[in-house]
Amino acid sequence: MAAVLSARLVVERDGFLLDVSIEAAAGEVVALLGPNGAGKTTALRALAGLVRLSRGEIVLDGEAIHEHPAERRSVGMVFQDYLLFPHLSALDNVAFGPRCQGTPKARARDQARDWLERVGLGAHLHARPRELSGGQAQRVALARALAVRPRLLLLDEPLAALDAHTRLEVRAGLRRHLEDFGGATVLVTHDPLDAMVLADRLVVVENGAIVQQGSPAEVARQPRTDYVARLVGLNLYRGVAAGHRVTIAGALTLSAAEELSGPVFVAFPPSAVALFRTRPDGTPRNTWAATIAGVERHGDQFRVSLDGPLSVSADVTAAAVADLGLLPAQEVWVAVKATETHAYPA
Amino acid sequence: MRSFGRRVLGALVAPVLVAGVLATAGCANKDERTLTVFAAASLTESFGALGTAFQASHPGVKVKFNFGSSATLAQQIAQGAPADVFAAASPATMAQSKAPKSRVFARNRLEIAVPKGNPGHVAGLKDLANPSLKVALCAPQVPCGAAAVKALAAGGVTVKPVTLEQDVKATLTKVRLGEVDAALVYRTDVKAAAGAVEGIEFPEAGKAINDYPIATVPKTRQYALSREFIDLVLSDEGRRVLSGAGFTPV
Amino acid sequence: MRGRTPWGLAVPAVAGMAFLVLPLAGLLVRAPWPTLLVRLAEPRVVEALRLSLLTATAATALCLVLGVPLAWLLARAAFPGRGLVRALVTVPLVLPPVVGGVALLLVFGRNGLAGRWFAGVFSLPFTTAGVVVAEAFVAMPFLVISVEGTLRAADLRYEEAAATLGASRWTVFRRVTLPLVAPGVTAGAVLCWARALGEFGATITFAGNFPGTTQTMPLAVYLALENDPDAAIVLSLVLLAVCVAVLAALRDRWIRA
């Protein structure tokens, strides 16, 4: 598919530099994922025309739009706080865009009615934004952005303002609408689940730069930064491989399942980590002594964080915690099966 | 306990502030005596000069003037304003002040005032009826306006003024600024304007002379000083100053 | 703690209320009740009231047309000298109204800087239009300052949202900004109207005083005071009643954001 959106965004502001290149094809959903302050929202606002580019360009459907003001770009945006006009009903909110495009009032309202019915809010046409629930407001905001028939749809943390239960339903609905949308979509999120469910491609942004891109599955399987690793719940380390042996930070040598050489990442899930009172003598090749730093509930299990040559997270059952009497500052032995590790080139 | 103390403090602050303001308002230097004279606006220049002379001949005495519309001043005096002497522009306004005894000390007559150069080419009272001219008069409720009504009636002239000003000085200002082509003001006002406006006398003015009475205000605390000031006004020096300003002393 | 007013606030508050209300009570007590109805029917009362309401409303309209854009400029546009312009806009607030009237004469009078050019065609002094100009001059700062404050406090993000939906700057102002600041504009307009209604010094100095053309209620009251204080009280009561009625009729929610 030929790219619909091709942008290089460079924004320098208050000592912060954002320099990312983003591409999206028609019908593709690209998620910008990253910690707070990484610059994802700035990138989105630059695409919308609300932030000026210091350098770079934005090309949408072959047209260079980076010099155009926001109102001349064929862009629809859903804001984190929805920003529905408080003095207009849901119907008039959605009709606002078409009317700005020159559509007569009556026809714009008909179009708005269609959109609102499509997102399942046909019964709330005349409600004011303050009368809507969070989930309903989110859908109105989406309908409002889609009603202008944009070529590029931008979503800024679309589900952040919702509680966990509403988020489940709305996420599913949003996925359907994004699939129906024919243009390119760029969405910003810090929730990995949003990214996994909604996105065709993930772009991880940290400190104003892209640190990893790929499909959600690729990124989850092979995280390249601590942030992503934490996000997907893996233990991640950088080291140097020589065959099956990986030396990490010059401190510890792990046995890996793959055979590689040169700089590598090694990742394994907390569930692959076993804890022993005494030094184990068995098949696991990777064992070392560590000190317990903390024990926390994690779902119906416990996550133990350990200090030592490597900082590791281990998932153990409640029974195990009780049996072993696992407490902070206690010394234990850590073992990780090589077959459960995953090494890949850095 | 702490909040109780705060409440007491708060309750005390307000009255203390009010008392303080009142106390400073009543302060006065006990050695200096002050004579307060309320006088019609047209007496501004002449009484000002007499006040200076009075202060020179009475060391330790300060004369304070309040010039303005006679009617307003009369009402203030009737309501208890702290005046010692009142000089009004008409017996009617003097009566409003409820001063029992008064004496006419000067007379004033009307004159037509026109801007420099007389752009409206006004020669006499009849010209004021010209509809293309803008004429200002004092409002009939004030002495100068009442006199204008009488003079116009005596001359059989009907004027449609563009404005009826609240006192004679305001009327004169309109002439000075050239906003109107003519106005009926006192002769003393034309003289006081010292060349900024031109004056045109007219015979009908004799039918509407204003008597200016002067009196000691009943509730005065400076009875002796007031009488001395009135004596100055009625003296040869006073008459000289008044006729110099354009009044006709009585 | 709700409902318990501390002494330190209650005492001055009651004093403040008394300070403002007692003079009004004085008017009511001293009013010539027996002759009230007869006096109310006098033509000059009706005339002065009609003129006052007409000119105050016209002055407010003029202030809205000129003042809201000015407030927008001061709140949103960054231009050199903005602080100076803002200070100049508040000058009519501190200028004695009579001085304001004289200044208007010097500009718009027959021999004024601008007035001399249109003196042959129309005149502002001594006309009802002149009253409107004088009232607008003294009342505009109230409107500008109130609206500027509201604009500054307004959430710019709604305007960004409107821009992404394709609204031009003028459309954003018309359909998003204005409706959102409407309560502040209404509050400013009310202040403006009340100030214009009560204006005396600038009106009488610039427009003069003539019943039916330029004699507004405050002027009528002042002149009535010269020789008929009872009439002055009646006129004052009428003005008071009209003001209270208008202000009470304004719903709270139209003024508060």
Side-chain angles (χ1 to χ4, degrees), chain A residues 265-283:
Chain A
F265 284 109
V266 179
F268 50 87
S271 52
V273 179
L275 300 179
F276 297 84
R277 278 265 203 80
T278 54
R279 191 198 180 112
D281 190 25
T283 53

PDB file of all heavy atoms in Angstrom, chain A residues 265-283:
ATOM      1  N   PHE A 265      20.038  -8.457  22.962  1.00  0.00           N
ATOM      2  CA  PHE A 265      19.110  -8.329  24.088  1.00  0.00           C
ATOM      3  C   PHE A 265      18.779  -9.727  24.565  1.00  0.00           C
ATOM      4  O   PHE A 265      18.689 -10.670  23.766  1.00  0.00           O
ATOM      5  CB  PHE A 265      17.801  -7.672  23.653  1.00  0.00           C
ATOM      6  CG  PHE A 265      17.896  -6.181  23.443  1.00  0.00           C
ATOM      7  CD1 PHE A 265      17.833  -5.666  22.152  1.00  0.00           C
ATOM      8  CD2 PHE A 265      18.044  -5.305  24.506  1.00  0.00           C
ATOM      9  CE1 PHE A 265      17.913  -4.290  21.956  1.00  0.00           C
ATOM     10  CE2 PHE A 265      18.127  -3.958  24.308  1.00  0.00           C
ATOM     11  CZ  PHE A 265      18.063  -3.438  23.027  1.00  0.00           C
ATOM     12  N   VAL A 266      18.591  -9.868  25.870  1.00  0.00           N
ATOM     13  CA  VAL A 266      18.082 -11.126  26.420  1.00  0.00           C
ATOM     14  C   VAL A 266      16.831 -10.806  27.218  1.00  0.00           C
ATOM     15  O   VAL A 266      16.849  -9.899  28.050  1.00  0.00           O
ATOM     16  CB  VAL A 266      19.102 -11.791  27.367  1.00  0.00           C
ATOM     17  CG1 VAL A 266      18.515 -13.068  27.933  1.00  0.00           C
ATOM     18  CG2 VAL A 266      20.386 -12.072  26.621  1.00  0.00           C
ATOM     19  N   ALA A 267      15.756 -11.529  26.960  1.00  0.00           N
ATOM     20  CA  ALA A 267      14.505 -11.268  27.671  1.00  0.00           C
ATOM     21  C   ALA A 267      13.917 -12.569  28.155  1.00  0.00           C
ATOM     22  O   ALA A 267      13.993 -13.599  27.478  1.00  0.00           O
ATOM     23  CB  ALA A 267      13.519 -10.564  26.752  1.00  0.00           C
ATOM     24  N   PHE A 268      13.311 -12.533  29.344  1.00  0.00           N
ATOM     25  CA  PHE A 268      12.536 -13.683  29.820  1.00  0.00           C
ATOM     26  C   PHE A 268      11.474 -13.163  30.766  1.00  0.00           C
ATOM     27  O   PHE A 268      11.657 -12.178  31.468  1.00  0.00           O
ATOM     28  CB  PHE A 268      13.418 -14.739  30.498  1.00  0.00           C
ATOM     29  CG  PHE A 268      14.346 -14.175  31.539  1.00  0.00           C
ATOM     30  CD1 PHE A 268      13.941 -14.012  32.862  1.00  0.00           C
ATOM     31  CD2 PHE A 268      15.652 -13.821  31.204  1.00  0.00           C
ATOM     32  CE1 PHE A 268      14.787 -13.486  33.822  1.00  0.00           C
ATOM     33  CE2 PHE A 268      16.515 -13.297  32.160  1.00  0.00           C
ATOM     34  CZ  PHE A 268      16.085 -13.136  33.475  1.00  0.00           C
ATOM     35  N   PRO A 269      10.306 -13.852  30.768  1.00  0.00           N
ATOM     36  CA  PRO A 269       9.207 -13.379  31.606  1.00  0.00           C
ATOM     37  C   PRO A 269       9.456 -13.711  33.069  1.00  0.00           C
ATOM     38  O   PRO A 269      10.216 -14.645  33.382  1.00  0.00           O
ATOM     39  CB  PRO A 269       7.996 -14.146  31.064  1.00  0.00           C
ATOM     40  CG  PRO A 269       8.559 -15.372  30.459  1.00  0.00           C
ATOM     41  CD  PRO A 269       9.931 -15.020  29.960  1.00  0.00           C
ATOM     42  N   PRO A 270       8.821 -12.975  33.962  1.00  0.00           N
ATOM     43  CA  PRO A 270       8.986 -13.251  35.396  1.00  0.00           C
ATOM     44  C   PRO A 270       8.561 -14.664  35.767  1.00  0.00           C
ATOM     45  O   PRO A 270       9.052 -15.229  36.746  1.00  0.00           O
ATOM     46  CB  PRO A 270       8.069 -12.208  36.062  1.00  0.00           C
ATOM     47  CG  PRO A 270       7.941 -11.111  35.071  1.00  0.00           C
ATOM     48  CD  PRO A 270       8.031 -11.763  33.724  1.00  0.00           C
ATOM     49  N   SER A 271       7.647 -15.224  34.966  1.00  0.00           N
ATOM     50  CA  SER A 271       7.204 -16.573  35.289  1.00  0.00           C
ATOM     51  C   SER A 271       8.275 -17.616  35.021  1.00  0.00           C
ATOM     52  O   SER A 271       8.150 -18.766  35.453  1.00  0.00           O
ATOM     53  CB  SER A 271       5.937 -16.915  34.478  1.00  0.00           C
ATOM     54  OG  SER A 271       6.182 -16.652  33.111  1.00  0.00           O
ATOM     55  N   ALA A 272       9.328 -17.207  34.313  1.00  0.00           N
ATOM     56  CA  ALA A 272      10.403 -18.163  34.027  1.00  0.00           C
ATOM     57  C   ALA A 272      11.451 -18.184  35.128  1.00  0.00           C
ATOM     58  O   ALA A 272      12.438 -18.917  35.049  1.00  0.00           O
ATOM     59  CB  ALA A 272      11.066 -17.817  32.692  1.00  0.00           C
ATOM     60  N   VAL A 273      11.251 -17.349  36.152  1.00  0.00           N
ATOM     61  CA  VAL A 273      12.262 -17.240  37.208  1.00  0.00           C
ATOM     62  C   VAL A 273      11.843 -18.092  38.398  1.00  0.00           C
ATOM     63  O   VAL A 273      10.730 -17.970  38.895  1.00  0.00           O
ATOM     64  CB  VAL A 273      12.420 -15.769  37.662  1.00  0.00           C
ATOM     65  CG1 VAL A 273      13.450 -15.664  38.768  1.00  0.00           C
ATOM     66  CG2 VAL A 273      12.784 -14.894  36.473  1.00  0.00           C
ATOM     67  N   ALA A 274      12.738 -18.988  38.855  1.00  0.00           N
ATOM     68  CA  ALA A 274      12.460 -19.835  40.013  1.00  0.00           C
ATOM     69  C   ALA A 274      13.366 -19.415  41.164  1.00  0.00           C
ATOM     70  O   ALA A 274      14.507 -18.997  40.954  1.00  0.00           O
ATOM     71  CB  ALA A 274      12.685 -21.300  39.667  1.00  0.00           C
ATOM     72  N   LEU A 275      12.840 -19.512  42.371  1.00  0.00           N
ATOM     73  CA  LEU A 275      13.609 -19.099  43.547  1.00  0.00           C
ATOM     74  C   LEU A 275      13.880 -20.299  44.449  1.00  0.00           C
ATOM     75  O   LEU A 275      12.996 -21.164  44.618  1.00  0.00           O
ATOM     76  CB  LEU A 275      12.829 -18.044  44.334  1.00  0.00           C
ATOM     77  CG  LEU A 275      12.496 -16.743  43.591  1.00  0.00           C
ATOM     78  CD1 LEU A 275      11.703 -15.806  44.494  1.00  0.00           C
ATOM     79  CD2 LEU A 275      13.762 -16.073  43.097  1.00  0.00           C
ATOM     80  N   PHE A 276      15.074 -20.353  44.992  1.00  0.00           N
ATOM     81  CA  PHE A 276      15.456 -21.462  45.886  1.00  0.00           C
ATOM     82  C   PHE A 276      16.071 -20.913  47.144  1.00  0.00           C
ATOM     83  O   PHE A 276      16.728 -19.889  47.143  1.00  0.00           O
ATOM     84  CB  PHE A 276      16.484 -22.373  45.194  1.00  0.00           C
ATOM     85  CG  PHE A 276      15.959 -23.034  43.967  1.00  0.00           C
ATOM     86  CD1 PHE A 276      15.971 -22.372  42.737  1.00  0.00           C
ATOM     87  CD2 PHE A 276      15.430 -24.317  44.032  1.00  0.00           C
ATOM     88  CE1 PHE A 276      15.474 -23.001  41.602  1.00  0.00           C
ATOM     89  CE2 PHE A 276      14.938 -24.941  42.904  1.00  0.00           C
ATOM     90  CZ  PHE A 276      14.963 -24.287  41.692  1.00  0.00           C
ATOM     91  N   ARG A 277      15.890 -21.693  48.237  1.00  0.00           N
ATOM     92  CA  ARG A 277      16.523 -21.311  49.508  1.00  0.00           C
ATOM     93  C   ARG A 277      18.020 -21.569  49.470  1.00  0.00           C
ATOM     94  O   ARG A 277      18.817 -20.809  49.999  1.00  0.00           O
ATOM     95  CB  ARG A 277      15.934 -22.141  50.661  1.00  0.00           C
ATOM     96  CG  ARG A 277      14.649 -21.596  51.140  1.00  0.00           C
ATOM     97  CD  ARG A 277      14.867 -20.678  52.350  1.00  0.00           C
ATOM     98  NE  ARG A 277      13.616 -20.633  53.093  1.00  0.00           N
ATOM     99  CZ  ARG A 277      13.252 -21.606  53.924  1.00  0.00           C
ATOM    100  NH1 ARG A 277      14.043 -22.623  54.166  1.00  0.00           N
ATOM    101  NH2 ARG A 277      12.080 -21.555  54.519  1.00  0.00           N
ATOM    102  N   THR A 278      18.339 -22.669  48.853  1.00  0.00           N
ATOM    103  CA  THR A 278      19.759 -22.999  48.770  1.00  0.00           C
ATOM    104  C   THR A 278      20.135 -23.103  47.302  1.00  0.00           C
ATOM    105  O   THR A 278      19.272 -23.158  46.428  1.00  0.00           O
ATOM    106  CB  THR A 278      20.057 -24.341  49.457  1.00  0.00           C
ATOM    107  OG1 THR A 278      19.179 -25.313  48.882  1.00  0.00           O
ATOM    108  CG2 THR A 278      19.806 -24.226  50.945  1.00  0.00           C
ATOM    109  N   ARG A 279      21.424 -23.151  47.084  1.00  0.00           N
ATOM    110  CA  ARG A 279      21.882 -23.179  45.705  1.00  0.00           C
ATOM    111  C   ARG A 279      21.357 -24.430  45.020  1.00  0.00           C
ATOM    112  O   ARG A 279      21.568 -25.538  45.463  1.00  0.00           O
ATOM    113  CB  ARG A 279      23.422 -23.202  45.673  1.00  0.00           C
ATOM    114  CG  ARG A 279      23.933 -22.976  44.285  1.00  0.00           C
ATOM    115  CD  ARG A 279      25.367 -23.405  44.115  1.00  0.00           C
ATOM    116  NE  ARG A 279      25.747 -23.146  42.745  1.00  0.00           N
ATOM    117  CZ  ARG A 279      26.637 -22.218  42.360  1.00  0.00           C
ATOM    118  NH1 ARG A 279      27.266 -21.516  43.266  1.00  0.00           N
ATOM    119  NH2 ARG A 279      26.880 -22.040  41.086  1.00  0.00           N
ATOM    120  N   PRO A 280      20.667 -24.247  43.887  1.00  0.00           N
ATOM    121  CA  PRO A 280      20.069 -25.424  43.237  1.00  0.00           C
ATOM    122  C   PRO A 280      21.115 -26.193  42.439  1.00  0.00           C
ATOM    123  O   PRO A 280      22.056 -25.616  41.913  1.00  0.00           O
ATOM    124  CB  PRO A 280      19.022 -24.818  42.304  1.00  0.00           C
ATOM    125  CG  PRO A 280      19.540 -23.446  42.007  1.00  0.00           C
ATOM    126  CD  PRO A 280      20.318 -23.003  43.210  1.00  0.00           C
ATOM    127  N   ASP A 281      20.865 -27.444  42.381  1.00  0.00           N
ATOM    128  CA  ASP A 281      21.793 -28.254  41.630  1.00  0.00           C
ATOM    129  C   ASP A 281      20.981 -29.046  40.636  1.00  0.00           C
ATOM    130  O   ASP A 281      20.467 -30.117  40.960  1.00  0.00           O
ATOM    131  CB  ASP A 281      22.566 -29.164  42.604  1.00  0.00           C
ATOM    132  CG  ASP A 281      23.720 -29.849  41.920  1.00  0.00           C
ATOM    133  OD1 ASP A 281      24.213 -29.296  40.900  1.00  0.00           O
ATOM    134  OD2 ASP A 281      24.124 -30.928  42.381  1.00  0.00           O
ATOM    135  N   GLY A 282      20.808 -28.519  39.468  1.00  0.00           N
ATOM    136  CA  GLY A 282      19.939 -29.207  38.500  1.00  0.00           C
ATOM    137  C   GLY A 282      20.221 -28.703  37.108  1.00  0.00           C
ATOM    138  O   GLY A 282      21.300 -28.187  36.817  1.00  0.00           O
ATOM    139  N   THR A 283      19.207 -28.798  36.228  1.00  0.00           N
ATOM    140  CA  THR A 283      19.444 -28.437  34.832  1.00  0.00           C
ATOM    141  C   THR A 283      19.560 -26.929  34.562  1.00  0.00           C
ATOM    142  O   THR A 283      20.285 -26.552  33.648  1.00  0.00           O
ATOM    143  CB  THR A 283      18.343 -28.992  33.917  1.00  0.00           C
ATOM    144  OG1 THR A 283      17.076 -28.582  34.446  1.00  0.00           O
ATOM    145  CG2 THR A 283      18.408 -30.491  33.843  1.00  0.00           C
TER     146      THR A 283
END
